[in-house]
Amino acid sequence: MKKIVPCILSGGAGSRLWPLSRQIYPKQFLKIFNGASLLQKTIDRFDDEIFAAPIMIANEAHRFLIGEQTEEMGVRPSAIVLEPEGRNTAAPAAVAALLALREDKDALVLLTPSDHLIGDKRAFLAAVRAGTKAAVDGRIVTFGIAPSEPNTGYGYIRLEREGGEANGSVRNVAEFVEKPDLERASAFLADGHYVWNAGIFLFSAKAMIEAFERHAPEVLKKAREALDKGRADLDFLRLDPQAFSAIEKISIDYAIMERADNVACVPMDPGWSDLGAWSAVWDSLEKDGAGNSVLGEGMFVGATNNLIVTDDALVAVVGLDGVMVVSTKDAVLVAAKDKAQDVKVVVEALEADERRETRRHRRVYRPWGWREEIAAAERYQVQEIEIKPGKSLSRQSHVHRAEHWVVVSGTVEVEIEGKTQLLTENRSAYVPIGAKHRLANPGRIPARLIEVQSGAHISEEDIVRHDGDDVDKPGQS
């Protein structure tokens, strides 16, 4: 059997899972499922003999997260493609088909989001196997989820009542239907020939290229140009920004699926959820006898059907029903569970005010480790820094601030104005304003230190780089 190339799309922001999901650290990277992220659970789904090494397509801002989380899984992708900006799903679908076609003129591709949860891997793999022959024969196969309720948050696929495969595993598609109101969704459920659109597609690269040539030729043209003009950067393939930004921002559903006449569908029931809101997370979690779920340290008193998610403080819910509490170090969300979709309204309002809380957490991950803000005021900032073994920060200096470091664990190699020293626990170093300096961890365990910045102007932009080892944007030291 020909191996299928999984193409995992990882460009979303997951705004409805705010405040845990942020632009720089969106929901597919959150390790809230027994220590694994949705991206890692997606990768694990393809640990089967029918799959080749995956192609990853991600926003360039997440490149190191992609690299780190795939490395933790022991997986080496065939390519990690970086989008300079989000252009919806048609553009990466075209890129995936073009890449696969370079390697094999008969390549099969399975295009899938990175932020969906599938509880029954065996049922999912059975559905993929069921759709493979149709894909080999040139059909574009989508996967439909048997609806359990009249949900208005999903697009639907209407299946033809007759004309599918004899065994019923592959069905002909009559039409794609936009997200309906409750009345129509209820009618779809009663009809029995509608399924939710899972946004997962199986196709031959050749058939998808032909579909783009027929239905969205400009998308294909610019995608090919972005790929041809792209450049290798470490383990990544950067698409050409100018060509890619010229691609129409359109979904594969609109660009191809609703226009093509060679579409098939495999209905399946693998315990699927797109985790599009905190209420869906609550649905997926184990519950106590009163219907409460918790991720982190929480407690319930006389409370029913609630969700607590906390990455820091203890959260207690008393005497409430159907409430979600999501607590991070810099933001707290309290909402009725049946209003979970409205979290996006909060995020939109915060973005309009250019609030940092929608973009990043206090802890920011870098290729060398992470840094986390502890306290900040007009003339100072205190943060904790962890440096991975064998990693180092870029050599830099500051125009407006001095820095004082105290090592709390491990060993840190400190370079200040060309002079190098090793600091162990409880030792410190001072960096005057303007001094060139660098931090590194020469040891075999993570090194942690407390950094105190002080000066007339404390800003992420106050960094002058002198070698640019691992950072290519201002303010991300």
Side-chain angles (χ1 to χ4, degrees):
M1 179 179 176
K2 176 177 289 293
K3 287 187 179 291
I4 299 168
V5 180
C7 178
I8 302 173
L9 304 183
S10 181
S15 60
R16 289 182 179 87
L17 292 190
W18 183 86
L20 210 56
S21 181
R22 314 248 175 132
Q23 293 176 24
I24 298 299
Y25 204 84
K27 71 174 183 177
Q28 61 266 32
F29 300 109
L30 300 173
K31 295 184 177 182
I32 59 177
F33 297 96
N34 296 320
S37 70
L38 287 171
L39 172 68
Q40 291 176 318
K41 293 179 77 68
T42 301
I43 292 170
D44 180 68
R45 205 171 298 146
F46 302 119
D47 182 18
D48 189 271
E49 62 182 5
I50 68 172
F51 297 111
I55 296 171
M56 318 288 292
I57 301 183
N59 188 290
E60 66 175 5
H62 306 147
R63 61 197 181 282
F64 298 120
L65 289 170
I66 285 280
E68 183 176 89
Q69 294 203 359
T70 53
E71 184 179 346
E72 288 175 356
M73 297 291 291
V75 171
R76 186 173 181 82
S78 61
I80 301 178
V81 183
L82 301 180
E83 297 178 316
E85 59 180 278
R87 306 307 294 169
N88 214 313
T89 54
V95 168
L98 290 167
L99 270 177
L101 203 61
R102 286 181 176 180
E103 301 299 322
D104 180 0
K105 65 182 179 61
D106 297 317
L108 293 181
V109 178
L110 183 69
L111 192 74
T112 181
S114 62
D115 56 358
H116 291 185
L117 185 66
I118 289 181
D120 189 342
K121 177 180 175 180
R122 183 175 298 179
F124 172 74
L125 294 178
V128 172
R129 286 187 170 94
T132 299
K133 183 179 182 300
V136 170
D137 291 341
R139 304 188 75 181
I140 300 174
V141 180
T142 185
F143 295 85
I145 306 300
S148 58
E149 60 181 356
N151 196 301
T152 61
Y154 301 139
Y156 284 70
I157 301 171
R158 181 166 68 86
L159 306 176
E160 290 189 1
R161 296 176 185 272
E162 297 179 357
E165 297 281 335
N167 63 8
S169 60
V170 178
R171 301 281 298 277
N172 292 328
V173 172
E175 66 173 331
F176 286 81
V177 184
E178 291 295 312
K179 296 176 182 178
D181 57 26
L182 184 59
E183 183 178 354
R184 291 186 71 207
S186 299
F188 293 166
L189 187 65
D191 181 278
H193 287 82
Y194 288 82
V195 291
W196 293 333
N197 184 357
I200 303 172
F201 308 97
L202 176 64
F203 50 84
S204 74
K206 180 181 177 181
M208 183 56 74
I209 295 298
E210 290 174 350
F212 270 102
E213 288 174 340
R214 181 177 179 184
H215 302 293
E218 283 301 310
V219 172
L220 179 64
K221 177 183 176 182
K222 289 298 181 182
R224 182 179 279 118
E225 183 181 346
L227 192 56
D228 290 344
K229 292 182 178 179
R231 62 181 179 87
D233 179 10
L234 301 176
D235 295 329
F236 309 110
L237 174 59
R238 291 181 177 271
L239 297 173
D240 179 71
Q242 185 173 353
F244 195 78
S245 64
I247 300 176
E248 180 184 1
K249 188 179 286 188
I250 187 173
S251 70
I252 186 175
D253 297 89
Y254 284 136
I256 302 298
M257 304 306 292
E258 295 185 7
R259 303 175 184 179
D261 57 7
N262 60 335
V263 177
C265 180
V266 178
M268 63 178 182
D269 188 15
W272 172 90
S273 173
D274 71 346
L275 295 181
W278 282 116
S279 54
V281 175
W282 175 82
D283 285 335
S284 71
L285 296 176
E286 292 185 4
K287 301 170 182 62
D288 64 17
N292 298 306
S293 295
V294 61
L295 289 172
E297 192 174 8
M299 62 182 297
F300 303 94
V301 177
T304 54
N305 304 312
N306 300 298
L307 171 68
I308 290 175
V309 179
T310 174
D311 66 357
D312 187 31
L314 166 68
V315 174
V317 172
V318 180
L320 297 177
D321 177 75
V323 168
M324 311 178 302
V325 181
V326 184
S327 173
T328 67
K329 292 181 179 180
D330 60 352
V332 177
L333 168 72
V334 181
K337 193 145 51 61
D338 61 1
K339 298 295 183 182
Q341 295 292 332
D342 291 343
V343 173
K344 189 173 183 179
V345 178
V346 176
V347 174
E348 289 170 351
L350 293 173
E351 287 177 341
D353 289 339
E354 299 183 347
R355 293 290 300 253
R356 175 186 62 82
E357 289 86 352
T358 65
R359 178 167 175 77
R360 61 180 178 85
H361 289 274
R362 287 188 175 182
R363 178 175 292 187
V364 177
Y365 290 87
R366 302 297 303 139
W368 45 260
W370 52 260
R371 57 184 172 84
E372 180 174 321
E373 180 185 305
I374 298 173
E378 184 178 353
R379 292 185 60 89
Y380 74 87
Q381 177 172 270
V382 181
Q383 57 185 5
E384 181 180 5
I385 295 174
E386 179 176 285
I387 309 173
K388 297 177 185 177
K391 298 293 185 178
S392 64
L393 284 70
S394 60
R395 184 176 289 104
Q396 55 190 250
S397 61
H398 309 291
V399 178
H400 301 288
R401 73 174 187 251
E403 293 178 343
H404 189 175
W405 299 318
V406 179
V407 178
V408 294
S409 65
T411 300
V412 178
E413 182 181 85
V414 176
E415 176 191 325
I416 302 174
E417 288 294 331
K419 296 181 179 180
T420 301
Q421 59 178 316
L422 290 179
L423 298 183
T424 54
E425 290 183 20
N426 299 317
R427 296 186 62 193
S428 64
Y430 171 71
V431 183
I433 292 175
K436 294 180 182 179
H437 58 276
R438 182 184 183 129
L439 289 169
N441 179 1
R444 295 184 178 181
I445 62 172
R448 288 197 180 188
L449 61 148
I450 302 298
E451 177 183 81
V452 179
Q453 304 173 358
S454 60
H457 179 67
I458 305 297
S459 168
E460 290 186 352
E461 303 302 318
D462 182 22
I463 298 176
V464 179
R465 303 198 182 282
H466 301 281
D467 55 17
D469 285 355
D470 58 3
V471 184
D472 54 16
K473 290 187 177 180
Q476 297 189 1
S477 59

